[in-house]
Amino acid sequence: MIDLSLIWIVIIGIGVLIYVILDGFDLGIGILFPFIKGSHERDVLMNTVAPVWDGNETWMVLGGAGLFAAFPLVYSTVLSALYMPIILMVIALIFRGVAFEFRFKANRTKHLWDKAFIGGSVFASFLQGVVLGAYIQGIKTLNGVYAGGQLDWLTPFSVFTGIGVVVLYATLGCGWLIYKTDADIQEKMFSMMPKLIIAVFIIFGLVSIYTPLSQPQIAERWFSQPQLMYFSPVPVLVLIFTGMALRACKQKKELSPFIYTLGLVFLAYTGFLISLWPYIIPPSVTIWQAAAPANSQLFALIGALLLIPIILTYTIFSYWIFKGKVRVGDTGYH
């Protein structure tokens, strides 16, 4: 018998990971905007992602639609618990998207759209981290209904993970700009990248220490078999990838810092999955308890298997077409 719930978890998990990677460096460029002052240089930053930024968010839609189709209990419960940060995140993304379109068409008000782009990027990233922290802490449920308070999501830990995601996205954006730009902008990013990588490493370490101390059920999973066997290589690999990223920056390699940062993102994501498995509404509801009827999952899966290859093809094609460097003075998105 095919485990449809497990198939859907793989699809949603991969979709969320792709979103974090693609929209992560996209949002990171907005976070780095204040460090680039010239208007033409800021045009370069935006032109590195202008052809692909809206397609990146397709993967977030896929994750949300997958949850609604395959795990409706998760969709209703988690949204009830995290309505406020999710709505604020969507508003920030709207501000950012509007700024993306209007900035190139504005003259006297261009600085205002710059601020909207920066604010939308920073707040959307921060709120994604807050949602992540609140989710790790657990969602209070009673008979399948959210039983917590309106502000249970707002804790010191969720605020810290919010800051951590901002730093992580800034690191991804910095690595992307090293790859996509040259001259002064690239040199600026090369000087910033090591500081961001070290900050990400410290944040990973603090989260890894605090999480098992504050969440006994996660500590139990970390230090019991088979999770311990799966989890034990992660800290070592984080050290290795951090060292390789720092060395790549020192050697002025263009693509390697971004690739190694992606490795760190993947390791953090796998650590997150290992920590919560098999609970999809932590700490008590498993993927099978939250699953939709098998017929519903199968019907949605047929549609997903038709659409996902199209989305993947479009994404790969877009990045291939716009794979070159972006320089000051290039005619681009605007």
Side-chain angles (χ1 to χ4, degrees):
M1 182 78 178
I2 298 174
D3 192 335
L4 294 173
S5 297
L6 191 59
I7 293 173
W8 266 111
I9 280 296
V10 171
I11 291 173
I12 294 170
I14 292 174
V16 171
L17 177 61
I18 294 174
Y19 169 77
V20 168
I21 290 171
L22 298 185
D23 213 38
F25 71 75
D26 187 343
L27 288 163
I29 287 171
I31 297 167
L32 294 171
F33 232 57
F35 300 97
I36 304 295
K37 301 300 182 183
S39 178
H40 295 301
E41 287 75 14
R42 287 184 168 185
D43 288 346
V44 170
L45 265 62
M46 298 198 81
N47 279 329
T48 63
V49 292
V52 295
W53 73 273
D54 45 356
N56 293 342
E57 295 178 357
T58 304
W59 296 98
M60 178 171 63
V61 177
L62 174 66
L67 277 179
F68 182 75
F71 304 100
L73 180 63
V74 181
Y75 193 85
S76 61
T77 305
V78 172
L79 252 65
S80 297
L82 304 174
Y83 244 126
M84 190 177 296
I86 289 173
I87 291 296
L88 291 174
M89 180 193 72
V90 170
I91 292 171
L93 289 173
I94 291 171
F95 264 89
R96 182 174 176 274
V98 172
F100 224 120
E101 299 295 335
F102 277 53
R103 181 185 177 275
F104 286 120
K105 299 174 177 64
N107 291 315
R108 289 178 298 177
T109 59
K110 195 171 188 177
H111 66 285
L112 295 177
W113 294 114
D114 281 353
K115 292 179 175 63
F117 182 65
I118 294 166
S121 300
V122 172
F123 280 109
S125 304
F126 174 74
L127 289 165
Q128 286 181 20
V130 168
V131 168
L132 172 64
Y135 186 76
I136 291 173
Q137 289 178 141
I139 308 295
K140 297 176 183 176
T141 60
L142 181 62
N143 298 323
V145 178
Y146 177 59
Q150 292 298 315
L151 293 177
D152 281 7
W153 55 272
L154 187 59
T155 66
F157 179 70
S158 67
V159 170
F160 181 75
T161 54
I163 295 170
V165 168
V166 171
V167 176
L168 177 61
Y169 284 178
T171 309
L172 283 170
C174 194
W176 175 254
L177 290 173
I178 288 172
Y179 171 61
K180 290 291 289 184
T181 64
D182 57 13
D184 292 343
I185 297 176
Q186 189 185 63
E187 287 299 318
K188 178 75 172 177
M189 295 301 115
F190 266 127
S191 68
M192 292 180 63
M193 190 71 176
K195 302 180 184 69
L196 289 169
I197 291 169
I198 292 171
V200 167
F201 178 75
I202 292 171
I203 288 167
F204 280 6
L206 292 175
V207 170
S208 299
I209 293 170
Y210 179 83
T211 300
L213 291 176
S214 62
Q215 306 291 326
Q217 69 276 13
I218 291 179
E220 183 179 349
R221 287 197 290 273
W222 277 19
F223 302 111
S224 60
Q225 295 294 347
Q227 285 90 337
L228 180 61
M229 180 179 66
Y230 298 142
F231 191 75
S232 55
V234 172
V236 177
L237 290 172
V238 168
L239 278 170
I240 291 172
F241 274 97
T242 301
M244 293 170 71
L246 291 172
R247 187 175 64 178
C249 291
K250 187 176 180 180
Q251 296 173 345
K252 297 295 181 72
K253 293 185 177 180
E254 293 192 338
L255 182 58
S256 297
F258 183 62
I259 296 299
Y260 295 142
T261 306
L262 292 183
L264 290 172
V265 172
F266 178 77
L267 290 170
Y269 191 69
T270 54
F272 163 73
L273 295 178
I274 292 169
S275 299
L276 298 182
W277 180 261
Y279 299 100
I280 194 169
I281 306 178
S284 58
V285 181
T286 68
I287 61 171
W288 299 281
Q289 292 171 330
N295 288 340
S296 299
Q297 287 188 331
L298 180 60
F299 179 78
L301 181 61
I302 294 170
L305 293 178
L306 292 174
L307 288 175
I308 290 173
I310 298 173
I311 299 171
L312 271 173
T313 302
Y314 166 79
T315 301
I316 294 169
F317 183 73
S318 298
Y319 280 89
W320 174 257
I321 290 295
F322 298 101
K323 64 182 182 295
K325 292 276 188 183
V326 181
R327 298 177 176 88
V328 174
D330 286 350
T331 55
Y333 186 68
H334 58 296

